[in-house]
Amino acid sequence: MSTNNWNNLVTEMPDLLAPSMAKDHPNLPVVKAEGCYYYGLDGKEYLDFTSGIATANTGHRHPKVVQAIKDAADHLMHGPSGVIMYESILQLSKELADVLPGDLDCFFFANSGTEAIEGAIKLAKHVTKRPYVVSFIGCFHGRSHGALSVTTSKSKYRKFLQPNGLAYQVPYADVKSCPSGADPEAYVIEKLEKDFETLFNHQVTPEEVACMIVEPVLGEGGYIIPPSGWLKKIREICDRHGILLIFDEVQTGFGRTGEWFAAQTFGVTPDIMAIAKGIASGLPLSATVASKELMKQWPLGSHGTTFGGNPIACEAALATISVLKEENLVENSKNMGAYAYQKLKMLQDQNPVIGSVRALGLMIGIEIVDPFTGKPDGNALMTILDKCLEKGVLFYLCGNHGEVIRMIPPLTINQEQIDHGLAVLEEALHEHQAELESQMSGNYQNV
Ligand SMILES: Cc1ncc(COP(=O)(O)O)c(C=O)c1O
């Protein structure tokens, strides 16, 4: 495609693509991606700290993944499983079962994260024959109607969602509100128990709840890491009442948190898991996972798909798993995450715009605040991200006020690339700080 045509198309974009997505940040026009880099239409190289939102865990266009896709396309491009059967979908089930925790060994493959969530909730209702779901405030589970009924990261996502009354919410772990001197883990556990007591006494009986669904690390809602005791307590409450526990590992999976899955990081195994994003290095694939015993209770025809478990995507997933293993990328996520965290903590010490740094593996959130009020500052974040982009580093954002910088590079990232990306962030923070100071001195002069 010619650069001219591409440039013209970019100017037409607002009319061609639905603004609900086309106006997201930063919409960088690119011509190519490779490893940890995007190559822009402007001829510049951009270090990618987004991984296409936690998806290109093996780096962009890893040669082994590309080869697997080409080979697959030479043989079989479409299933659907159910009408025909193919080796890759079965082999993938076996290999995923090996890296998943507990007895999560039976799979319903779909295409996207939201579909994996739909499947998880439907399965839980089929198994328990109960109507209600409990989710946690701030979590993001997708945008289709079922997933949206449990998504509360931003109220704008839920606008016009018809009230179905089938989902209740309780607060996510908030260690920040722990009174000083108290133990944060004990505090959030006690709060959780009280919240459930209120829910079960006033809104829904536990016998009517099919499942609880939770992101083990809050993603879109702001990269908040709960103490492991909090997740263990959720497990305990579920067991007490015969409620199934669903982990949404769409974003946390495939090495992102320094283990294959966050369930292993926290030592808590759910009954059902939703996985997607990093599973196939960018090809659309997801899965609802449970034990054989649970899945057996999902009768023929109660769920299905045309495209889910596509043979090319399954081959890409098999190649992704072997790259993650061969190149020790799960371990690299842990090591590089710890390295970046320690550098970011030093940056925080020098820069009052950074409110907090939260990291688990290469799932890193940098909270931007107004240095005078300490309040979340989404506008400042945008200025900082734009400056980073100008200097060739692409970050993404999250948080209820868009106040958290998401740093989620491919798991292939090395120390030099982290050093470079964080040096650019530091420069952008200094420039922003200098602008704030000059605004302040201008304000004083005007008094
Ligand atoms: C935790 C989580 N769950 C579900 C989804 C929805 O996935 P998808 O956009 O593939 O439908 C996302 C997407 O960002 C996510 O981060």
Side-chain angles (χ1 to χ4, degrees), residues 159-245:
K159 214 165 182 185
F160 308 122
L161 170 74
Q162 68 266 44
N164 59 19
L166 293 179
Y168 293 92
Q169 275 84 36
V170 294
Y172 201 82
D174 180 13
V175 286
K176 261 184 154 182
S177 62
C178 176
S180 72
D183 171 35
E185 182 160 22
Y187 166 78
V188 293
I189 290 174
E190 197 183 321
K191 171 90 175 37
L192 183 77
E193 285 193 299
K194 280 193 191 138
D195 289 336
F196 271 107
E197 207 180 300
T198 308
L199 180 79
F200 291 153
N201 283 341
H202 293 275
Q203 290 185 278
V204 62
T205 65
E207 301 76 43
E208 293 172 289
V209 177
C211 57
M212 294 191 197
I213 178 164
V214 67
E215 280 182 275
V217 178
L218 202 61
E220 215 269 332
Y223 276 33
I224 292 168
I225 305 165
S228 62
W230 186 77
L231 288 164
K232 287 183 179 135
K233 181 55 74 177
I234 294 177
R235 175 75 272 180
E236 196 187 306
I237 297 171
C238 283
D239 290 344
R240 208 184 296 156
H241 299 291
I243 296 169
L244 295 174
L245 177 58

XYZ file of all heavy atoms in Angstrom, residues 159-245:
683
model
N -23.482 2.341 30.036
C -24.613 3.192 29.662
C -25.580 2.403 28.769
O -25.149 1.757 27.818
C -24.094 4.437 28.926
C -24.921 5.653 29.204
C -24.198 6.899 28.792
C -25.057 8.092 29.146
N -24.458 9.322 28.672
N -26.844 2.472 29.084
C -27.931 1.798 28.354
C -27.916 0.271 28.507
O -28.626 -0.417 27.790
C -27.966 2.184 26.873
C -27.969 3.670 26.666
C -26.979 4.304 25.929
C -28.948 4.464 27.255
C -26.969 5.680 25.757
C -28.936 5.846 27.096
C -27.953 6.449 26.352
N -27.082 -0.230 29.394
C -27.136 -1.662 29.708
C -28.473 -1.893 30.400
O -28.754 -1.264 31.421
C -25.993 -2.023 30.670
C -26.032 -3.418 31.294
C -25.639 -4.475 30.265
C -25.068 -3.509 32.478
N -29.308 -2.749 29.835
C -30.616 -2.893 30.465
C -30.456 -3.527 31.841
O -29.650 -4.439 31.999
C -31.601 -3.700 29.605
C -31.281 -5.148 29.435
C -30.484 -5.388 28.173
O -29.550 -4.657 27.875
N -30.830 -6.405 27.421
N -31.214 -3.038 32.842
C -31.045 -3.611 34.171
C -31.580 -5.040 34.178
O -32.739 -5.261 33.856
C -31.897 -2.690 35.055
C -32.830 -1.997 34.126
C -32.240 -2.034 32.752
N -30.740 -6.008 34.421
C -31.250 -7.380 34.436
C -31.296 -7.936 35.856
O -31.854 -8.998 36.086
C -30.436 -8.289 33.513
C -28.975 -8.324 33.902
O -28.619 -7.983 35.020
N -28.125 -8.735 32.982
N -30.692 -7.194 36.794
C -30.792 -7.610 38.193
C -30.104 -8.921 38.506
O -30.326 -9.511 39.557
N -29.276 -9.417 37.570
C -28.685 -10.733 37.814
C -27.248 -10.657 38.317
O -26.623 -11.661 38.577
C -28.737 -11.577 36.537
C -30.150 -11.957 36.088
C -30.108 -12.767 34.812
C -30.891 -12.740 37.164
N -26.728 -9.434 38.421
C -25.345 -9.302 38.883
C -25.257 -8.302 40.033
O -25.840 -7.221 39.975
C -24.459 -8.847 37.729
N -24.568 -8.700 41.079
C -24.338 -7.821 42.236
C -22.848 -7.531 42.334
O -22.030 -8.346 41.931
C -24.810 -8.507 43.521
C -26.308 -8.695 43.550
C -26.890 -9.868 43.071
C -27.133 -7.693 44.037
C -28.260 -10.033 43.081
C -28.511 -7.849 44.052
C -29.065 -9.021 43.565
O -30.429 -9.177 43.578
N -22.540 -6.363 42.898
C -21.131 -6.002 43.021
C -20.733 -5.740 44.469
O -21.531 -5.180 45.234
C -20.836 -4.727 42.214
C -20.532 -4.972 40.757
C -21.782 -5.082 39.899
O -22.751 -4.381 40.146
N -21.759 -5.963 38.928
N -19.526 -6.136 44.804
C -18.917 -5.747 46.085
C -17.572 -5.078 45.771
O -16.998 -5.308 44.699
C -18.714 -6.955 47.039
C -20.027 -7.544 47.498
C -17.859 -8.020 46.400
N -17.067 -4.241 46.696
C -15.827 -3.517 46.401
C -14.607 -4.436 46.237
O -14.532 -5.498 46.839
C -15.641 -2.614 47.623
C -16.998 -2.503 48.230
C -17.678 -3.821 47.974
N -13.666 -3.976 45.407
C -12.372 -4.656 45.220
C -11.487 -4.308 46.427
O -11.779 -3.372 47.182
C -11.717 -4.149 43.923
C -10.669 -5.091 43.364
C -11.037 -6.182 42.585
C -9.314 -4.882 43.602
C -10.081 -7.048 42.068
C -8.348 -5.743 43.087
C -8.742 -6.834 42.311
O -7.784 -7.684 41.805
N -10.403 -5.042 46.603
C -9.478 -4.778 47.724
C -8.898 -3.368 47.610
O -8.350 -3.021 46.565
C -8.334 -5.789 47.683
N -9.039 -2.584 48.659
C -8.525 -1.214 48.626
C -7.563 -1.009 49.808
O -7.955 -0.514 50.863
C -9.714 -0.242 48.695
C -9.271 1.208 48.677
O -8.096 1.467 48.363
O -10.103 2.080 48.998
N -6.301 -1.383 49.584
C -5.329 -1.260 50.680
C -5.040 0.202 51.016
O -4.635 0.519 52.128
C -3.988 -1.996 50.390
C -4.126 -3.490 50.497
C -3.428 -1.623 49.044
N -5.301 1.080 50.039
C -5.015 2.509 50.246
C -5.856 3.094 51.376
O -5.445 4.040 52.045
C -5.324 3.284 48.969
C -4.114 3.585 48.128
C -4.528 4.420 46.963
C -3.392 5.271 46.451
N -3.839 6.108 45.350
N -7.067 2.565 51.559
C -7.927 3.146 52.594
C -7.668 2.526 53.978
O -8.371 2.824 54.943
C -9.401 3.030 52.205
O -9.728 1.677 52.094
N -6.648 1.665 54.065
C -6.318 1.050 55.362
C -5.814 2.124 56.342
O -4.918 2.903 56.012
C -5.232 -0.008 55.129
S -4.645 -0.764 56.641
N -6.409 2.185 57.535
C -5.943 3.191 58.501
C -4.470 2.985 58.839
O -3.997 1.837 58.869
C -6.809 2.920 59.739
C -7.882 1.998 59.301
C -7.455 1.310 58.056
N -3.747 4.093 59.102
C -2.310 3.938 59.343
C -2.089 3.135 60.628
O -2.835 3.259 61.599
C -1.617 5.294 59.402
O -1.966 5.931 60.586
N -1.086 2.288 60.574
C -0.788 1.427 61.716
C -1.453 0.064 61.607
O -1.002 -0.907 62.207
N -2.539 -0.043 60.808
C -3.229 -1.350 60.683
C -2.551 -2.182 59.598
O -1.867 -1.646 58.720
C -4.690 -1.117 60.338
N -2.764 -3.506 59.663
C -2.193 -4.399 58.660
C -3.107 -4.399 57.426
O -4.280 -4.782 57.519
C -2.080 -5.811 59.252
C -1.693 -6.822 58.192
O -0.922 -6.462 57.283
O -2.191 -7.975 58.253
N -2.575 -3.944 56.253
C -3.434 -3.799 55.066
C -4.130 -5.095 54.655
O -5.290 -5.081 54.256
C -2.473 -3.332 53.973
C -1.248 -2.871 54.674
C -1.195 -3.547 55.999
N -3.419 -6.226 54.763
C -4.030 -7.486 54.332
C -5.197 -7.847 55.252
O -6.302 -8.159 54.786
C -2.980 -8.603 54.310
C -3.570 -9.920 53.825
C -2.524 -10.901 53.324
O -1.357 -10.765 53.726
O -2.878 -11.794 52.543
N -4.954 -7.754 56.558
C -6.024 -8.069 57.520
C -7.196 -7.100 57.323
O -8.370 -7.498 57.389
C -5.479 -7.967 58.945
N -6.873 -5.842 57.013
C -7.917 -4.828 56.841
C -8.825 -5.180 55.655
O -10.059 -5.171 55.768
C -7.259 -3.452 56.643
C -8.203 -2.396 56.137
C -9.103 -1.770 57.004
C -8.226 -2.039 54.784
C -9.999 -0.811 56.533
C -9.109 -1.085 54.317
C -9.992 -0.477 55.182
O -10.877 0.460 54.713
N -8.216 -5.509 54.487
C -9.070 -5.770 53.311
C -9.845 -7.082 53.463
O -10.963 -7.208 52.955
C -8.286 -5.740 51.959
C -7.789 -4.348 51.638
C -7.167 -6.748 51.901
N -9.275 -8.035 54.197
C -9.985 -9.302 54.400
C -11.220 -9.066 55.282
O -12.326 -9.537 54.991
C -9.042 -10.365 55.022
C -7.993 -10.785 53.994
C -9.829 -11.576 55.512
C -6.914 -11.711 54.526
N -11.023 -8.305 56.338
C -12.145 -8.010 57.246
C -13.243 -7.237 56.514
O -14.440 -7.517 56.631
C -11.624 -7.189 58.436
C -12.587 -7.182 59.601
C -12.069 -6.297 60.730
O -10.835 -6.322 60.983
O -12.871 -5.572 61.313
N -12.801 -6.299 55.674
C -13.752 -5.477 54.900
C -14.536 -6.376 53.930
O -15.753 -6.235 53.780
C -12.942 -4.405 54.154
C -13.658 -3.579 53.146
C -14.240 -2.339 53.794
C -14.881 -1.362 52.829
N -15.608 -1.891 51.719
N -13.834 -7.307 53.316
C -14.484 -8.224 52.369
C -15.570 -9.039 53.066
O -16.689 -9.184 52.564
C -13.425 -9.168 51.781
C -13.903 -10.155 50.725
C -14.080 -9.454 49.379
C -12.900 -11.297 50.557
N -15.235 -9.552 54.245
C -16.217 -10.359 54.978
C -17.454 -9.531 55.324
O -18.586 -9.995 55.189
C -15.580 -10.938 56.244
C -14.663 -12.087 55.883
C -14.238 -12.909 57.079
O -13.594 -12.339 57.979
O -14.546 -14.106 57.092
N -17.218 -8.284 55.722
C -18.354 -7.406 56.059
C -19.199 -7.118 54.815
O -20.426 -7.112 54.870
C -17.838 -6.084 56.639
C -17.455 -6.198 58.092
C -17.253 -4.823 58.698
C -16.622 -4.962 60.063
N -15.583 -3.975 60.312
N -18.518 -6.855 53.699
C -19.254 -6.556 52.458
C -20.128 -7.740 52.050
O -21.259 -7.562 51.602
C -18.284 -6.191 51.321
C -17.633 -4.829 51.532
O -18.229 -3.991 52.243
O -16.522 -4.612 51.013
N -19.579 -8.957 52.191
C -20.383 -10.131 51.826
C -21.527 -10.354 52.806
O -22.618 -10.759 52.411
C -19.505 -11.380 51.687
C -18.976 -11.511 50.287
C -17.652 -11.260 50.001
C -19.824 -11.837 49.241
C -17.173 -11.341 48.703
C -19.360 -11.916 47.944
C -18.031 -11.673 47.670
N -21.268 -10.057 54.078
C -22.350 -10.193 55.070
C -23.507 -9.278 54.672
O -24.666 -9.690 54.660
C -21.783 -9.785 56.431
C -22.473 -10.448 57.603
C -21.830 -9.964 58.892
O -20.607 -10.187 59.070
O -22.546 -9.335 59.696
N -23.173 -8.027 54.308
C -24.207 -7.072 53.899
C -24.922 -7.567 52.649
O -26.159 -7.574 52.581
C -23.564 -5.684 53.609
O -22.785 -5.321 54.734
C -24.606 -4.625 53.333
N -24.149 -8.013 51.662
C -24.752 -8.486 50.405
C -25.707 -9.645 50.665
O -26.853 -9.639 50.206
C -23.647 -8.912 49.431
C -24.141 -9.415 48.075
C -24.516 -8.234 47.170
C -23.094 -10.266 47.378
N -25.222 -10.636 51.423
C -26.034 -11.842 51.628
C -27.220 -11.583 52.564
O -28.241 -12.254 52.491
C -25.157 -12.981 52.170
C -24.142 -13.513 51.166
C -22.955 -14.108 51.593
C -24.383 -13.424 49.799
C -22.029 -14.604 50.671
C -23.466 -13.915 48.882
C -22.289 -14.500 49.318
N -27.093 -10.604 53.461
C -28.215 -10.314 54.367
C -29.277 -9.440 53.724
O -30.447 -9.517 54.083
C -27.717 -9.594 55.632
C -27.063 -10.560 56.591
O -27.285 -11.768 56.490
N -26.239 -10.048 57.485
N -28.844 -8.586 52.781
C -29.780 -7.571 52.284
C -30.194 -7.714 50.834
O -31.248 -7.222 50.445
C -29.181 -6.170 52.476
C -29.040 -5.794 53.910
N -30.072 -5.250 54.634
C -28.001 -5.941 54.769
C -29.661 -5.042 55.878
N -28.406 -5.465 55.991
N -29.335 -8.356 49.999
C -29.664 -8.315 48.573
C -29.900 -9.669 47.915
O -30.793 -9.808 47.109
C -28.560 -7.561 47.824
C -28.574 -6.081 48.156
C -27.576 -5.333 47.324
O -26.382 -5.298 47.633
N -28.039 -4.759 46.245
N -29.090 -10.637 48.243
C -29.244 -11.938 47.582
C -28.740 -13.025 48.541
O -27.749 -12.823 49.246
C -28.454 -11.963 46.239
C -26.961 -11.762 46.440
C -28.709 -13.238 45.454
N -29.460 -14.151 48.580
C -28.975 -15.221 49.463
C -27.839 -15.962 48.749
O -27.869 -16.099 47.516
C -30.090 -16.231 49.809
O -30.470 -16.904 48.611
C -31.299 -15.538 50.420
N -26.866 -16.438 49.517
C -25.725 -17.109 48.860
C -26.152 -18.341 48.064
O -25.516 -18.680 47.067
C -24.801 -17.475 50.026
C -25.569 -17.258 51.275
C -26.686 -16.315 50.968
N -27.254 -18.989 48.464
C -27.711 -20.194 47.751
C -28.184 -19.886 46.337
O -28.390 -20.793 45.536
C -28.876 -20.889 48.484
C -28.606 -21.348 49.896
C -28.621 -20.185 50.886
O -29.523 -19.327 50.780
O -27.731 -20.136 51.745
N -28.404 -18.582 46.082
C -28.863 -18.220 44.730
C -27.713 -17.757 43.835
O -27.913 -17.425 42.671
C -29.866 -17.064 44.810
C -31.174 -17.405 45.486
C -31.983 -16.131 45.684
O -31.595 -15.310 46.535
O -32.974 -15.954 44.973
N -26.511 -17.687 44.397
C -25.377 -17.157 43.620
C -24.654 -18.307 42.909
O -24.166 -19.242 43.551
C -24.398 -16.372 44.529
C -23.185 -15.900 43.726
C -25.104 -15.189 45.177
N -24.597 -18.216 41.572
C -23.920 -19.260 40.785
C -22.407 -19.119 40.888
O -21.688 -20.104 41.038
C -24.341 -19.142 39.321
N -21.928 -17.861 40.771
C -20.478 -17.683 40.699
C -20.064 -16.285 41.130
O -20.871 -15.354 41.146
C -19.988 -17.925 39.270
S -20.763 -16.876 38.048
N -18.795 -16.187 41.491
C -18.156 -14.880 41.675
C -17.112 -14.782 40.582
O -16.420 -15.763 40.296
C -17.448 -14.804 43.021
C -18.400 -14.864 44.175
S -17.509 -14.438 45.666
C -18.663 -15.075 46.873
N -16.997 -13.578 40.015
C -15.986 -13.382 38.976
C -15.073 -12.239 39.382
O -15.540 -11.188 39.824
C -16.636 -13.142 37.598
C -15.557 -12.898 36.538
C -17.647 -11.994 37.589
C -16.071 -13.042 35.121
N -13.767 -12.469 39.257
C -12.812 -11.444 39.700
C -11.571 -11.442 38.806
O -11.160 -12.496 38.295
C -12.442 -11.674 41.193
C -11.658 -12.969 41.388
C -11.670 -10.492 41.777
N -11.017 -10.255 38.594
C -9.687 -10.159 37.984
C -8.684 -10.292 39.127
O -8.717 -9.476 40.067
C -9.474 -8.779 37.362
C -10.089 -8.558 36.015
C -9.749 -7.155 35.517
O -10.454 -6.195 35.868
O -8.766 -7.019 34.773
N -7.773 -11.263 39.095
C -6.832 -11.413 40.215
C -5.924 -10.202 40.391
O -5.435 -9.955 41.499
C -6.040 -12.676 39.887
C -6.406 -13.062 38.510
C -7.648 -12.335 38.103
N -5.694 -9.463 39.326
C -5.091 -8.122 39.438
C -6.018 -7.211 38.646
O -6.371 -7.540 37.507
C -3.674 -8.057 38.829
C -3.107 -6.640 38.919
C -2.731 -9.045 39.514
N -6.419 -6.098 39.259
C -7.326 -5.186 38.559
C -6.589 -4.600 37.356
O -5.548 -3.968 37.520
C -7.717 -4.080 39.535
C -9.000 -3.327 39.261
C -10.191 -4.270 39.292
C -9.195 -2.243 40.312
N -7.130 -4.820 36.131
C -6.452 -4.367 34.922
C -6.906 -2.983 34.502
O -6.408 -1.968 34.997
N -7.882 -2.956 33.607
C -8.373 -1.678 33.074
C -8.754 -0.717 34.212
O -8.662 0.494 34.088
C -9.587 -1.976 32.178
C -9.721 -1.089 30.980
C -10.558 0.133 31.268
O -11.432 0.065 32.151
O -10.331 1.153 30.620
N -9.174 -1.283 35.327
C -9.605 -0.472 36.482
C -8.454 0.218 37.203
O -8.693 0.982 38.137
N -7.179 -0.053 36.838
C -6.099 0.729 37.434
C -4.892 -0.042 37.953
O -4.113 0.496 38.727
N -4.713 -1.290 37.541
C -3.528 -2.065 37.945
C -3.364 -2.056 39.473
O -2.375 -1.538 40.012
C -2.277 -1.548 37.219
C -2.142 -2.159 35.832
C -3.290 -2.466 35.096
C -0.917 -2.461 35.265
C -3.206 -3.033 33.833
C -0.824 -3.032 33.992
C -1.966 -3.307 33.295
O -1.883 -3.881 32.046
N -4.360 -2.610 40.123
C -4.308 -2.719 41.585
C -4.065 -4.181 41.948
O -4.729 -5.085 41.425
C -5.611 -2.176 42.208
C -5.655 -0.663 41.962
C -5.715 -2.506 43.689
C -6.958 -0.010 42.244
N -3.072 -4.386 42.813
C -2.677 -5.755 43.179
C -3.219 -6.056 44.572
O -2.816 -5.416 45.543
C -1.136 -5.888 43.189
C -0.574 -5.448 41.839
C -0.712 -7.313 43.523
C 0.926 -5.181 41.852
N -4.131 -7.008 44.698
C -4.669 -7.306 46.033
C -3.699 -8.186 46.827
O -2.925 -8.932 46.228
C -5.949 -8.085 45.724
C -5.658 -8.770 44.434
C -4.691 -7.892 43.665
N -3.740 -8.147 48.147
C -2.955 -9.116 48.923
C -3.496 -10.523 48.645
O -4.706 -10.688 48.438
C -3.232 -8.717 50.379
C -3.860 -7.364 50.323
C -4.517 -7.231 49.006
N -2.605 -11.529 48.664
C -3.076 -12.874 48.292
C -4.155 -13.377 49.259
O -5.064 -14.110 48.862
C -1.911 -13.855 48.206
O -1.295 -13.961 49.463
N -4.080 -12.935 50.530
C -5.080 -13.364 51.516
C -6.486 -12.941 51.119
O -7.467 -13.615 51.469
N -6.600 -11.839 50.397
C -7.916 -11.347 49.960
C -8.536 -12.322 48.959
O -9.709 -12.687 49.057
C -7.751 -9.956 49.349
C -9.019 -9.263 48.989
C -9.888 -8.643 49.828
C -9.559 -9.110 47.661
N -10.933 -8.104 49.117
C -10.753 -8.369 47.777
C -9.146 -9.504 46.384
C -11.544 -8.034 46.683
C -9.934 -9.168 45.286
C -11.107 -8.440 45.442
N -7.705 -12.777 47.989
C -8.211 -13.743 47.002
C -8.501 -15.089 47.670
O -9.463 -15.774 47.324
C -7.198 -13.913 45.862
C -7.091 -12.714 44.915
C -5.830 -12.784 44.066
C -8.315 -12.600 44.008
N -7.664 -15.440 48.647
C -7.900 -16.714 49.361
C -9.221 -16.657 50.115
O -9.956 -17.644 50.204
C -6.747 -17.004 50.326
C -5.496 -17.424 49.574
C -4.337 -17.787 50.481
C -3.147 -18.214 49.622
N -1.884 -17.665 49.992
N -9.522 -15.504 50.672
C -10.792 -15.343 51.408
C -11.981 -15.471 50.447
O -12.998 -16.087 50.781
C -10.802 -13.990 52.134
C -12.029 -13.705 52.954
C -12.368 -14.770 53.993
C -11.436 -14.752 55.188
N -11.824 -15.746 56.218
N -11.852 -14.931 49.238
C -12.934 -15.078 48.253
C -13.151 -16.566 47.958
O -14.276 -17.054 47.917
C -12.600 -14.315 46.944
C -12.569 -12.810 47.210
C -13.614 -14.634 45.849
C -12.171 -11.971 46.012
N -12.021 -17.279 47.779
C -12.102 -18.725 47.531
C -12.868 -19.415 48.674
O -13.742 -20.251 48.461
C -10.675 -19.259 47.381
C -10.432 -20.738 47.236
C -10.771 -21.315 45.883
N -12.152 -21.725 45.811
C -12.714 -22.267 44.739
N -12.017 -22.459 43.644
N -13.975 -22.610 44.728
N -12.516 -19.026 49.894
C -13.126 -19.635 51.085
C -14.641 -19.350 51.133
O -15.436 -20.258 51.408
C -12.438 -19.018 52.309
C -12.638 -19.743 53.598
C -12.024 -18.903 54.735
O -10.827 -18.545 54.647
O -12.770 -18.586 55.683
N -15.035 -18.108 50.842
C -16.464 -17.761 50.874
C -17.214 -18.551 49.798
O -18.308 -19.069 50.035
C -16.667 -16.227 50.691
C -16.012 -15.474 51.862
C -18.150 -15.877 50.604
C -15.955 -13.963 51.699
N -16.610 -18.683 48.626
C -17.231 -19.479 47.557
C -17.432 -20.917 48.024
O -18.528 -21.490 47.873
C -16.346 -19.475 46.306
S -16.436 -17.957 45.362
N -16.385 -21.507 48.598
C -16.473 -22.913 49.035
C -17.551 -23.091 50.109
O -18.268 -24.087 50.123
C -15.108 -23.388 49.572
C -14.089 -23.518 48.448
O -14.501 -23.537 47.276
O -12.874 -23.565 48.746
N -17.620 -22.102 50.999
C -18.605 -22.168 52.089
C -20.028 -22.290 51.552
O -20.878 -22.940 52.122
C -18.470 -20.882 52.919
C -18.866 -21.022 54.380
C -18.801 -19.670 55.085
N -17.468 -19.105 55.161
C -17.210 -17.787 55.299
N -18.208 -16.904 55.365
N -15.978 -17.350 55.375
N -20.288 -21.657 50.399
C -21.666 -21.573 49.906
C -21.900 -22.308 48.585
O -22.945 -22.121 47.957
C -22.049 -20.096 49.712
C -21.994 -19.298 50.984
N -22.888 -19.487 52.008
C -21.137 -18.335 51.386
C -22.588 -18.651 52.996
N -21.524 -17.949 52.649
N -20.944 -23.121 48.163
C -21.119 -23.854 46.892
C -21.180 -22.938 45.685
O -21.865 -23.232 44.692
N -20.484 -21.815 45.778
C -20.458 -20.844 44.667
C -19.187 -21.103 43.848
O -18.120 -21.339 44.424
C -20.443 -19.397 45.239
C -21.739 -19.117 46.008
C -20.220 -18.366 44.141
C -21.720 -17.831 46.832
N -19.294 -21.071 42.515
C -18.105 -21.303 41.693
C -17.301 -20.013 41.556
O -17.864 -18.926 41.438
C -18.511 -21.821 40.311
C -19.184 -23.204 40.318
C -19.673 -23.569 38.912
C -18.222 -24.279 40.834
N -15.976 -20.165 41.581
C -15.097 -19.000 41.467
C -14.518 -18.924 40.049
O -13.922 -19.894 39.570
C -13.958 -19.107 42.499
C -12.903 -17.994 42.451
C -13.515 -16.613 42.653
C -11.808 -18.246 43.507
